[in-house]
């Protein structure tokens, strides 16, 4: 009998769903069938069941935060089961130890993290049984069945585990030492807070702080432009004065003189330049591109896009979400006609059919096996959902994925760009630009992210003459660099190589994945928010005083630059390819950390921070104030108010009358937001919350407050209907 270990409960259920099965406590029994002749068991992790142990588990003295304890470098790294997931680990261990189980099928996500999660569990269970690897890019019935028939040998993906394990250990060493180092040194400077430092989060933060300082230090200057409105042979258009390619005038006086000279003067078209440009359909989406687009068009945070995409993947509607490739193999391209035929039956997409191209299997723009890494681009699967039953967010993300595939089967878009030079009184040159769409092509399907808003110009020919009808002077100000949006942060991390001066290192970082991976970037941005390094308001990213202090202290240390990440990613890639040893990499990491400690301690006395930064820094005090005074709703036990107390919601009167009314911030794996907490306290129930996990079941429900027992309970759709009658 075989034991299949999936990464998450929903995935385990989906893997078992195509076979006759019976649900048990923490696992599913698959009955004998043509794929598993003796049947099988399916169980699952709940994400990262195992974690690297804390420093004091190695040495009790390491619990205390002192500079004398640094560096903290264990001789051997150890994992442990996280306390809240011990029950599921016990289920897995019991199944692994079952004498009936003769082979393990590793069914974690087909990537580095999935490799690490399942193999760590097997290490802690001391499993010595043979293992095979399920490696699939979608959770459709066909993909699951074919995947089980074509299992990989365990050694084919073992090097991915070595890379992920080494990455985790190295990140632990850097984070544990650097966070303590800078927290302690900055404490001496008067900043009492924990300063989290990490191999990926810190260089990302450094780029954000750099932009913040550019904005703060920018000095806006006025400039003027001269605009003229022409009437040439009955045709009206406007143009902007230009001299040697520059349209900005530095003084108002000069701009007014130019305008005065041009008023009511004859005008002649002196040059008409037209250029046709062709635009190919965009590439298919990888995760970064999809996160950037969803943020730009719908203000979705990167994490929200990934979460929604994960749900669609687990339903079998889209392929693997954490892909870094924008290409597919020919084998995948051959499935497109069937998928598109099903999509053509959906009302929302009928207008795009029939397609200009029936298939793209021979189009190297989309089909390139060499550019497909662990996974191909994110595409809809043949398992087409009833789009009416998708949640609004799921429908938005699914639509982006679907329309990108449809657009790939359309012609290129062709536009003609025209630049007209008009001379006023034979001397003053005005430039007019316009665009005419010649062929719409794929733009019929997609709202183009690079679409210009240039107006169409009338048909003009060289030598045509007319009059200058009106001239005006427009005053403007130079603008500081724009703030990053959350979507642009994803792109910034992906293209971090552009910020490196060393061309060789730039190539390395570009060749790898930039800062972080497709799977981790959204989490890094969320971490920066949670640790009060960045503030996102109306989708724009602001660096906080805390961020400026940390990056100011780190200064030119390699830890804050993409260079270090470039070198690390290159070595980690070599480990995954089997050409580099994890031991050597860890030795280099340890040397870097030891250098960082001695260098930072030596430089700390030279650190200086502006009064403005010092005045604005008070994250701990601000947080305490928020917890004490941000009233979220009335207490149901006394006359107090419920406030955010950090790890839970509680009564503001605790100090006054020991009121112990509390509500957990996390219920069955789901975080309870302040918005839902307010609804619970004021209206008695929350919005529908998706993704509660209880044992092997995932479900959606509202929370309601039982005011008699002062307990939070679940309210399911059926109960709500009965109560409303």
């Amino acid at each position: 009998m075989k034991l299949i270990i999936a990464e998450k409960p929903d995935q385990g259920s989906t893997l078992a769903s195509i076979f006759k099965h019976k649900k048990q406590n923490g696992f599913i029994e698959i009955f004998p069938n043509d794929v598993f002749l003796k049947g099988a068991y399916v169980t699952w992790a709940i994400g990262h069941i195992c974690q690297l142990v804390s420093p004091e588990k190695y040495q009790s003295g390491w619990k205390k935060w002192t500079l004398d304890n640094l560096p903290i470098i264990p001789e051997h790294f150890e994992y442990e089961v996280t306390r809240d997931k011990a029950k599921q680990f016990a289920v897995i261990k019991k199944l692994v130890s079952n004498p009936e189980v003769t082979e393990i099928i590793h069914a974690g996500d087909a990537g580095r993290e999935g490799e690490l999660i399942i193999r760590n569990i097997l290490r802690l269970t001391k499993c010595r049984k043979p293992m095979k690897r399920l490696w699939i890019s979608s959770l459709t019935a066909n993909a699951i069945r074919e995947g089980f028939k074509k299992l990989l040998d365990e050694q084919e993906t073992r090097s991915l585990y070595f890379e992920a394990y080494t990455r985790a250990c190295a990140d632990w060493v850097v984070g544990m030492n650097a966070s303590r180092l800078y927290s302690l040194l900055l404490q001496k400077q008067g900043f009492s807070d924990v300063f989290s430092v990490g191999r990926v989060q810190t260089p990302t933060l450094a780029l954000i702080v750099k932009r913040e300082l550019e904005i703060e230090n920018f000095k806006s200057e006025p400039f003027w432009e001269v605009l003229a409105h022409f009437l040439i042979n009955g045709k009206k258009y406007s143009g902007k004065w230009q001299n040697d390619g520059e349209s900005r005038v530095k003084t108002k006086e000069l701009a007014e003189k130019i305008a005065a000279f041009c008023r009511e003067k004859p005008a002649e078209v002196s040059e008409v330049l037209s250029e046709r440009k062709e635009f190919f359909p965009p590439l298919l989406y990888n995760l970064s591109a999809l996160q950037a687009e969803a943020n730009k068009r719908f203000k979705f945070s990167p994490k929200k896009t990934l979460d929604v995409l994960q749900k669609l993947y687990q339903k079998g509607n889209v392929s693997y979400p954490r892909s870094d490739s924008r290409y597919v193999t020919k084998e995948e391209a051959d499935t497109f006609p069937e998928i598109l035929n099903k999509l053509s039956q959906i009302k929302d997409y009928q207008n795009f059919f029939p397609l200009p191209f029936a298939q793209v299997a021979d189009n190297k723009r989309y089909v390139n096996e060499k550019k497909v890494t662990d996974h191909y681009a994110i595409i809809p699967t043949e398992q087409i959902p009833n789009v009416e039953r998708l949640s609004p967010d799921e429908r938005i993300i699914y639509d982006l994925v679907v329309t990108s595939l449809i657009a790939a089967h359309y012609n290129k878009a062709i536009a003609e760009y025209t630049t007209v030079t008009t001379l006023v009184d034979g001397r003053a040159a005005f430039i007019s630009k316009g665009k005419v769409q010649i062929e719409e092509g794929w733009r019929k399907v997609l709202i183009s992210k690079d679409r210009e808003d240039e107006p169409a110009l009338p048909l003009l020919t060289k030598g045509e003459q007319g009059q200058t009808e009106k001239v005006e002077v427009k005053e403007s100000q130079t603008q500081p660099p724009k703030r990053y949006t959350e979507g642009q942060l994803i792109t910034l991390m992906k293209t971090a190589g552009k910020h490196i001066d060393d061309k060789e290192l730039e190539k390395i970082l570009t060749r790898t994945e930039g800062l972080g991976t497709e799977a981790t970037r959204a989490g890094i941005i969320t971490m920066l928010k949670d640790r009060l390094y960045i503030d996102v308001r109306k989708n724009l990213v602001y660096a906080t005083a805390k961020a400026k202090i940390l990056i100011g202290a780190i200064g030119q240390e390699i830890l804050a630059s993409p260079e270090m990440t470039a070198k690390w990613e290159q070595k980690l890639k070599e480990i995954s390819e089997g050409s580099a040893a994890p031991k050597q990499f860890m030795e280099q990491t340890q040397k870097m950390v030891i250098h960082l400690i001695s260098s930072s301690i030596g430089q700390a006395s030279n650190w200086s921070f502006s009064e403005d930064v010092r005045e604005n820094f008070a994250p701990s005090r601000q947080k305490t104030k928020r917890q004490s005074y941000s009233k979220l709703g009335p207490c149901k036990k006394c006359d107090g108010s419920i406030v955010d107390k950090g790890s839970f919601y509680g009564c503001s009167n605790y100090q006054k009358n020991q009121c112990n009314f509390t509500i957990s911030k996390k219920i069955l794996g789901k975080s309870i937001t302040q918005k839902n907490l307010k609804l619970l306290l004021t209206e008695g129930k929350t919005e529908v919350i998706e993704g509660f996990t209880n044992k092997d079941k995932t479900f959606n429900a509202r929370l309601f407050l039982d005011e008699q027992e002062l307990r939070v309970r679940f309210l399911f759709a059926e109960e709500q209907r009965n109560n409303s009658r």
Side-chain angles (χ1 to χ4, degrees), residues 231-287:
L231 178 62
I232 305 282
N233 286 344
K235 294 172 282 192
K236 293 186 176 184
Y237 65 100
S238 58
K240 189 181 291 184
W241 177 85
Q242 202 171 95
N243 183 37
D244 291 333
E246 180 56 62
S247 63
R248 294 182 177 183
V249 183
K250 291 185 178 180
T251 67
K252 184 178 182 180
E253 292 73 23
L254 179 56
E256 292 287 8
K257 282 182 181 179
I258 296 168
F261 170 79
C262 296
R263 286 190 178 100
E264 298 181 2
K265 294 285 177 65
E268 180 180 345
V269 177
S270 67
E271 189 174 51
V272 178
L273 296 175
S274 293
E275 180 186 8
R276 283 199 173 199
K277 290 185 180 180
E278 298 180 344
F279 300 90
F280 288 96
L283 295 172
L284 301 171
Y285 285 122
N286 60 14
L287 178 58

Side-chain angles (χ1 to χ4, degrees), residues 570-625:
Q570 178 64 19
K571 287 295 179 186
L572 288 165
K573 189 173 177 64
E574 289 170 6
I575 290 171
S576 73
E577 293 168 347
S579 59
K583 184 180 178 182
Q584 184 184 17
F585 179 82
M586 289 305 300
E587 287 171 353
Q588 291 173 346
T589 301
Q590 290 165 14
K591 286 179 183 176
M592 187 274 287
V593 165
I594 291 168
H595 167 77
L596 180 71
I597 292 167
S598 62
S599 173
S600 299
I601 291 174
Q603 291 291 324
S605 59
N606 299 324
W607 294 347
S608 63
F609 304 95
S610 70
E611 283 305 311
D612 181 56
V613 166
R614 285 185 177 275
E615 285 175 13
N616 285 308
F617 173 77
S620 295
R621 290 193 294 277
Q622 286 172 352
K623 198 171 182 181
T624 303
K625 188 175 180 182

Side-chain angles (χ1 to χ4, degrees), residues 452 463 679:
E452 295 90 351
L679 289 171

Side-chain angles (χ1 to χ4, degrees), residues 299-311:
K299 303 296 186 286
F300 278 25
S301 72
K303 183 180 183 302
K304 181 176 180 177
T305 297
L306 178 55
D307 289 347
V308 174
L309 202 55
Q310 180 71 27
K311 289 178 186 175

Side-chain angles (χ1 to χ4, degrees), residues 191-236:
F191 303 111
S192 295
D193 201 358
V194 174
F195 286 83
S196 169
V197 180
R199 179 182 65 86
V200 177
Q201 63 164 312
T202 302
T204 302
L205 185 61
L207 292 172
I208 297 169
V209 169
K210 181 185 177 189
R211 174 58 58 90
E212 188 75 34
L213 295 177
E214 287 172 351
I215 293 169
E216 286 179 5
N217 297 328
F218 183 84
K219 288 184 172 55
S220 184
E221 295 179 355
F223 67 89
W224 291 262
E225 293 176 312
V226 182
L227 305 175
H229 301 271
F230 303 110
L231 178 62
I232 305 282
N233 286 344
K235 294 172 282 192
K236 293 186 176 184

